[in-house]
Amino acid sequence: MRKLDRLFRPKSIAIFGGGWSTSVVQQCQKMGFKGDIWPVHLKLTEMAGLPCYASVADLPGAPDASFIGVNRNATIDIVRDLSARGAGGAVCFASGFREVADGAELQDQLIEAAGDMPILGPNCYGFINYVEGALLWPDQHGGRPVERGAAIIAQSSNIAINLTMQRRGLPLAYVMTVGNQAQTSLANMIDALIDDPAVTSIGLYIEGLGDIAALEGALRRAHEKRIPVVALKSGRSEAARAMTLSHTASLAGADELVSEFLARMNVARVKSLDEMVETLKLVHVLGPSKDFTVGSLGVSGGEASLIGDLIEDTDLVLRPLTSDEAAKVKATLHDMVTISNPLDYHTFSWHDPAALEKTYAAMMSCDYGLTILIFDTPRSDRCEDNGSAAATEAAIRAAQATGGRLAMISSLPENTIEELAERLVSLGIAPLCGLQTGVKAAEYAARIGQGFQKPLPQPVLLPTDGGAAGTLEVVNEYDSKRLLKAAGIQIPESQLVPTVDEAVAAGEKLGYPVVLKAVSSELAHKTEMGAVKLNLRDADQLRDAAQMLSAFGVPMMVERMVQGGVAELILGVVRDAQFGPYLTVGLGGIMVELFKDARVMLLPVDRQAVRAALMSLKTAPLLTGFRGRPAADLEAVIDAVIALAGFVRANAATIEEIDVNPLIVCEKGAFAADALIRRRSL
């Protein structure tokens, strides 16, 4: 892997071209870059007060970083010359490469010209290093020098610019764009930032994940280094899928797999830029939370109600105060204040900063994962200070005295003043802008913190090319079940028969009630085709059913009917082109597509992950004994899922799809009542 240190932390910068490139020179000067700046232009003699050089060969040395702001053909030539001279890397600003119809060959030429030299782009805005004042960036930005902060990597230059304009107090150490990722990928850039002590957290704006194995490796390193990662992935619409034979493939789209992958890698997937900024700010200031508990206090009952409602919709927990904690808080307040969490401490002590400090300190000493102080600043252009300044100082003193994890959160985003937010950040207090977004940020910070307390799963079982050229075949239900039985999944006892008389004989042998099914790889959806007869209770019913099904002209399967089912689930496997085979668990039977209560899991999985997935289903109460009904054999379900995962792993080169629907779960045992396998023969 190419090292990006020289490129991202340069001591010398060469800038090629005019126009936009002039802005790059000016941005570096404005930010106080202390290294050498070498403009390169064929016609100009100076740029922004600096002498210009005519070519790469004329430069005083091999530049650590270069911004190439010329047309696409000239870009290739300059990259070749820089690589030959031993330069540290380059940003290729020009468009017109693989993103356009006639650009694919030019992009290949660009990669070849770069050789071992790292390049960003093409079609790339570049990057900003706010720590060292190195800006290979041709446009405006809203940041300023910092000693440490969050790093943003965006697959949209305009989104990157917008993020630099935030006025919420989030310090940015780096802002980077990726362009076409012809050579240097999102994963490479994450990896380059992980070891930088100035980077406290990483925010990703993602349009496409690219190389999953490389991205997984970079995120695994971030996890090992305890660098929080927050991602906003655009494109939530369901991806189009090839026609499938089963219900399983209809339950999850590409976006669900992205969410599962990010969660698996302990990346907080946020839903908006607001959530990204607030989460990055919270983990920058305080780090991830140790747990989901929250203590909240504000000066209004309305605020307490609002935050209670918002927290109700998250995994956060407003843990009640213990008796000792309640007594400690009560000792700081007026007798008429009701002690609770969330706490409305009223206005009795609002103009008594010493009393406020004691109340704030008492709540912060309760060992919550995060203490939230709801606090809005009056607008300075129309209002006078109403005591907020003194209350702010009281909160600061309380946080410093207790070492508590304090977030001061405004009801509305605009009710936090940027100057105050920056001061709070510098003092180790997280200013969160807006109740709704701030609460979500607290939840994400807790998820990351919980994730840091355990190792990441094994690497994802990514797709292989082993069966890509094989002939696609459907394995009939009878044979599918026997393959799954050999893997460790329970199936009902059954017998395959060719005639009506043999069907009746099999029913007598198995014992009633039985199920009768026509068996053929051409009968994928047997129920809809009338090829299944259930709950046959004697020989006469079985004979009548067998005579009807014999019209299909295929063998029949007589199967002992599963009795005492508590719940019906679906277990499925589908191969995704990017993530490989993945598991689906959810509500099964005929309701599977109606309710779509399902969870996807990338492989491999362990028992803990399977249990968590099952318990996250909306229908999970059916498994644990809903309204006095018997509880299902949850361990048998987990056994079945683990067995299915093992079967897929052992046959990863050939398996395209598996559908176990329903898996009938009883008080004892879980049985695959129907199954279908689609695979490629090698």
Side-chain angles (χ1 to χ4, degrees):
M1 184 174 64
R2 297 170 179 85
K3 292 291 186 181
L4 300 174
D5 292 355
R6 283 180 67 193
L7 174 60
F8 289 159
R9 305 169 190 90
K11 304 302 181 188
S12 58
I13 299 174
I15 298 153
F16 295 80
W20 291 85
S21 297
T22 303
S23 179
V24 177
V25 177
Q26 294 168 339
Q27 297 281 17
C28 289
Q29 292 173 327
K30 183 179 178 180
M31 197 61 64
F33 178 65
K34 294 182 174 57
D36 295 319
I37 302 174
W38 300 327
V40 182
H41 199 282
L42 285 174
K43 298 179 180 179
L44 298 178
T45 58
E46 68 89 26
M47 184 181 296
L50 297 174
C52 285
Y53 299 88
S55 66
V56 173
D58 295 328
L59 292 174
D64 292 324
S66 297
F67 182 89
I68 306 174
V70 300
N71 67 60
R72 58 182 184 172
N73 292 298
T75 294
I76 296 172
D77 294 334
I78 292 172
V79 164
R80 183 177 292 109
D81 291 344
L82 285 169
S83 179
R85 184 142 190 208
V91 171
C92 300
F93 181 57
S95 58
F97 289 87
R98 198 175 295 277
E99 78 278 7
V100 299
D102 66 341
E105 184 178 348
L106 286 175
Q107 185 156 309
D108 291 340
Q109 292 176 21
L110 179 68
I111 296 170
E112 181 181 1
D116 292 332
M117 183 185 75
I119 57 171
L120 300 189
N123 189 26
C124 178
Y125 245 52
F127 69 89
I128 302 172
N129 177 342
Y130 284 116
V131 179
E132 298 175 1
L135 287 84
L136 278 75
W137 190 263
D139 205 340
Q140 296 186 97
H141 64 94
R144 62 185 185 187
V146 298
E147 293 183 0
R148 56 196 295 273
I152 301 285
I153 307 175
Q155 290 179 334
S156 164
S157 298
N158 204 56
I159 292 293
I161 293 172
N162 295 341
L163 285 167
T164 71
M165 302 296 179
Q166 55 84 27
R167 302 179 183 181
R168 301 180 176 211
L170 171 65
L172 296 174
Y174 290 89
V175 174
M176 299 182 170
T177 60
V178 300
N180 290 10
Q181 301 184 72
Q183 180 215 71
T184 302
S185 68
L186 174 70
N188 298 147
M189 297 172 81
I190 294 171
D191 207 64
L193 293 171
I194 291 170
D195 294 323
D196 191 326
V199 174
T200 59
S201 54
I202 297 174
L204 308 174
Y205 174 76
I206 304 171
E207 294 173 352
L209 297 183
D211 185 337
I212 298 298
L215 183 57
E216 184 177 31
L219 294 175
R220 191 174 294 277
R221 283 231 307 136
H223 184 270
E224 292 168 354
K225 290 280 189 176
R226 297 297 187 262
I227 303 294
V229 181
V230 179
L232 174 58
K233 170 67 172 66
S234 63
R236 289 180 169 271
S237 59
E238 183 144 334
R241 287 187 167 274
M243 185 174 65
T244 59
L245 293 171
S246 75
H247 298 287
T248 301
S250 68
L251 295 180
D255 195 64
E256 286 86 353
L257 297 179
V258 169
S259 291
E260 171 65 12
F261 173 73
L262 294 175
R264 184 183 180 95
M265 300 311 297
N266 195 31
V267 175
R269 184 180 184 181
V270 298
K271 296 180 180 178
S272 68
L273 292 174
D274 299 81
E275 289 184 357
M276 173 183 279
V277 170
E278 298 308 309
T279 306
L280 288 172
K281 191 192 328 174
L282 181 54
V283 296
H284 163 77
V285 178
L286 299 175
S289 301
K290 65 182 179 68
D291 58 38
F292 287 92
T293 61
V294 171
S296 173
L297 67 163
V299 76
S300 156
E303 293 171 344
S305 296
L306 279 174
I307 200 163
D309 290 344
L310 290 169
I311 286 177
E312 182 73 19
D313 295 331
T314 70
D315 292 332
L316 297 173
V317 179
L318 283 164
R319 174 181 63 76
L321 294 162
T322 66
S323 57
D324 289 343
E325 291 169 344
K328 187 184 300 182
V329 173
K330 184 175 179 59
T332 71
L333 291 167
H334 193 282
D335 289 342
M336 293 180 64
V337 175
T338 300
I339 308 303
S340 62
N341 183 27
L343 174 67
D344 168 16
Y345 61 86
H346 291 254
T347 57
F348 295 115
S349 55
W350 180 248
H351 293 289
D352 185 348
L356 287 177
E357 180 182 344
K358 291 177 182 178
T359 300
Y360 298 157
M363 283 295 289
M364 274 185 271
S365 65
C366 294
D367 197 33
Y368 287 110
L370 182 68
T371 301
I372 292 176
L373 173 60
I374 305 172
F375 197 93
D376 288 75
T377 304
R379 52 185 302 161
S380 58
D381 58 341
R382 300 177 187 173
C383 303
E384 296 180 355
D385 178 53
N386 62 348
S388 295
T392 299
E393 297 306 317
I396 292 170
R397 291 194 300 272
Q400 292 174 336
T402 62
R405 291 172 49 85
L406 177 63
M408 293 178 65
I409 182 170
S410 60
S411 300
L412 296 171
E414 58 268 30
N415 290 1
T416 298
I417 298 172
E418 183 177 14
E419 292 77 12
L420 174 60
E422 291 176 343
R423 179 171 177 240
L424 292 175
V425 167
S426 71
L427 295 172
I429 297 172
L432 299 179
C433 302
L435 275 179
Q436 185 169 17
T437 307
V439 165
K440 289 299 296 182
E443 180 184 25
Y444 296 133
R447 286 183 189 172
I448 295 172
Q450 290 286 284
F452 280 158
Q453 295 175 29
K454 55 187 178 183
L456 293 180
Q458 297 177 43
V460 173
L461 182 63
L462 294 174
T464 65
D465 296 329
T471 302
L472 194 62
E473 64 174 2
V474 177
V475 182
N476 67 49
E477 179 182 350
Y478 184 81
D479 291 336
S480 291
K481 283 182 174 177
R482 266 132 196 86
L483 288 171
L484 296 178
K485 180 182 179 181
I489 296 176
Q490 293 178 292
I491 65 171
E493 189 177 353
S494 65
Q495 187 173 334
L496 192 66
V497 297
T499 68
V500 172
D501 288 339
E502 288 177 276
V504 174
E508 297 294 328
K509 179 180 178 181
L510 293 171
Y512 295 99
V514 296
V515 178
L516 183 69
K517 302 179 183 181
V519 176
S520 170
S521 60
E522 304 298 321
L523 298 174
H525 299 294
K526 294 184 289 296
T527 301
E528 292 87 339
M529 300 178 69
V532 178
K533 302 298 178 182
L534 301 174
N535 201 27
L536 304 173
R537 309 197 70 82
D538 55 40
D540 291 337
Q541 290 184 3
L542 178 55
R543 183 175 295 278
D544 290 343
Q547 288 173 344
M548 294 176 63
L549 265 58
S550 63
F552 285 98
V554 297
M556 294 174 286
M557 179 173 67
V558 184
E559 184 174 74
R560 181 177 294 161
M561 189 163 178
V562 179
Q563 301 289 296
V566 174
E568 292 188 357
L569 299 177
I570 182 172
L571 307 184
V573 175
V574 175
R575 177 185 295 275
D576 180 79
Q578 187 172 32
F579 290 102
Y582 65 90
L583 279 169
T584 299
V585 298
L587 175 67
I590 62 174
M591 298 297 183
V592 55
E593 291 185 5
L594 178 61
F595 293 106
K596 291 195 173 183
D597 181 21
R599 277 287 310 275
V600 299
M601 292 180 289
L602 298 176
L603 296 173
V605 293
D606 58 26
R607 297 186 71 87
Q608 183 178 358
V610 174
R611 189 185 307 276
L614 291 168
M615 290 299 97
S616 72
L617 297 173
K618 292 189 287 290
T619 49
L622 294 176
L623 300 174
T624 55
F626 182 64
R627 290 192 173 183
R629 294 182 60 184
D633 189 345
L634 189 60
E635 296 305 316
V637 178
I638 297 173
D639 288 342
V641 177
I642 294 297
L644 182 61
F647 176 76
V648 173
R649 190 164 192 174
N651 299 276
T654 59
I655 294 297
E656 287 292 317
E657 195 171 347
I658 300 175
D659 203 44
V660 177
N661 183 33
L663 179 80
I664 299 178
V665 190
C666 304
E667 291 184 72
K668 186 68 175 177
F671 302 86
D674 197 356
L676 193 70
I677 295 174
R678 189 170 69 154
R679 65 186 179 185
R680 292 189 182 274
S681 57
L682 297 179

